[in-house]
Amino acid sequence: MSNNLDYKNNFKQGLEYLSNKNEIFSSVVKQVGLISFNKRDLKFESLIKIIINQQLSNNVANVIFLRLKELNLDKEITPEFISKIDFDKIRNQGVSNSKATFMKDLSSQFLKTPKIIDKWKELNDEKAFLEIQRHNGFGPWSANIILLFYMSRPNIFPFGDSTLKKAYQNIYNKTLNKDLKELNWAEPYRSIVALYFWRWVDSGMIKTKLEN
């Protein structure tokens, strides 16, 4: 299996594997249909956007992010830009004090060690998960989002995501434990399960034919 989730290759292979493994998940796939997965570009600006997005709706976070980009004449947000811009100017765009502090800290770290992201990419899932969290502003949820969407790791299921917990509870009528033992059947493709759970909730959580 590839170390990355590639839509043209192991995504479809993984989806077939999961559907054959679990009849209930197969029902979810049939309801939702075939979804696409596109790896997102991982760079400093991506991390700034992730910080902004924490505990906010996507719409609100996007507005704040675009305001911040406007301060940089719509150019890419770099460590140099965040380092030089006044702290209060960041705050005035709707960024909380703690998030603005995280951004400043992150810019300092990237200026000292420009290849931070390259280091993450060299690590396995468990080590990368811990390494990402060494940076202020990135907890377990953010680390998993980076691993899944920006590094396209195939076996990531962000346990702390409330939508995923809600999906599992409603689909399987069970509570999902932190050790994810209920999803052992989905290894090594738990990322695909997470993607389908998110889409299932977005599609209205239709419960027909999902029960055992």
Side-chain angles (χ1 to χ4, degrees):
M1 185 196 68
S2 169
N3 289 328
N4 292 317
L5 194 61
D6 177 73
Y7 181 68
K8 293 180 180 179
N9 186 11
N10 63 347
F11 186 96
K12 293 181 179 179
Q13 173 187 324
L15 189 58
E16 182 178 355
Y17 171 86
L18 294 169
S19 295
N20 290 332
K21 269 275 191 179
N22 190 280
E23 187 176 351
I24 296 177
F25 180 74
S26 178
S27 297
V28 173
V29 172
K30 289 174 183 176
Q31 285 186 6
V32 171
L34 187 62
I35 64 175
S36 61
F37 174 78
N38 296 305
K39 180 181 177 182
R40 301 174 187 175
D41 190 18
L42 181 57
K43 51 189 177 182
F44 179 80
E45 183 178 78
S46 312
L47 300 177
I48 294 298
K49 192 167 187 179
I50 289 170
I51 290 174
I52 291 173
N53 210 87
Q54 292 165 356
Q55 298 179 322
L56 294 177
S57 70
N58 286 331
N59 289 338
V60 172
N62 284 335
V63 169
I64 294 172
F65 176 72
L66 291 175
R67 286 177 185 165
L68 196 59
K69 277 188 76 80
E70 284 177 7
L71 292 179
N72 198 30
L73 303 177
D74 289 330
K75 296 177 184 176
E76 181 178 327
I77 296 174
T78 62
E80 291 79 8
F81 168 71
I82 294 296
S83 177
K84 291 177 182 177
I85 192 173
D86 184 74
F87 185 87
D88 288 336
K89 276 193 175 181
I90 297 176
R91 292 277 288 111
N92 290 340
Q93 309 316 307
V95 178
S96 69
N97 187 76
S98 59
K99 289 182 181 181
T101 301
F102 295 153
M103 290 179 191
K104 285 288 189 179
D105 288 347
L106 191 65
S107 68
S108 297
Q109 292 164 14
F110 266 75
L111 290 173
K112 290 176 185 176
T113 313
K115 294 189 176 181
I116 288 174
I117 290 174
D118 291 337
K119 180 180 179 181
W120 295 349
K121 291 178 179 178
E122 293 171 357
L123 301 174
N124 64 27
D125 292 349
E126 184 178 351
K127 290 181 178 178
F129 177 74
L130 296 173
E131 187 66 27
I132 291 168
Q133 292 180 77
R134 289 180 64 246
H135 300 274
N136 291 333
F138 296 93
W141 180 84
S142 296
N144 275 322
I145 292 300
I146 290 168
L147 287 168
L148 200 165
F149 287 103
Y150 294 87
M151 296 170 68
S152 64
R153 299 292 177 92
N155 199 36
I156 304 299
F157 191 93
F159 172 78
D161 189 278
S162 59
T163 300
L164 293 181
K165 289 181 182 179
K166 178 169 68 174
Y168 185 86
Q169 175 73 47
N170 280 273
I171 291 169
Y172 290 93
N173 294 315
K174 298 176 184 176
T175 300
L176 185 64
N177 290 299
K178 190 174 183 179
D179 61 9
L180 300 178
K181 64 181 180 181
E182 296 85 2
L183 292 176
N184 285 346
W185 61 269
E187 293 190 289
Y189 296 110
R190 290 188 298 194
S191 295
I192 296 176
V193 175
L195 293 169
Y196 266 88
F197 280 6
W198 274 316
R199 181 63 63 86
W200 182 75
V201 171
D202 288 344
S203 301
M205 299 174 60
I206 302 168
K207 193 88 184 267
T208 349
K209 298 180 182 178
L210 293 180
E211 290 83 0
N212 283 307

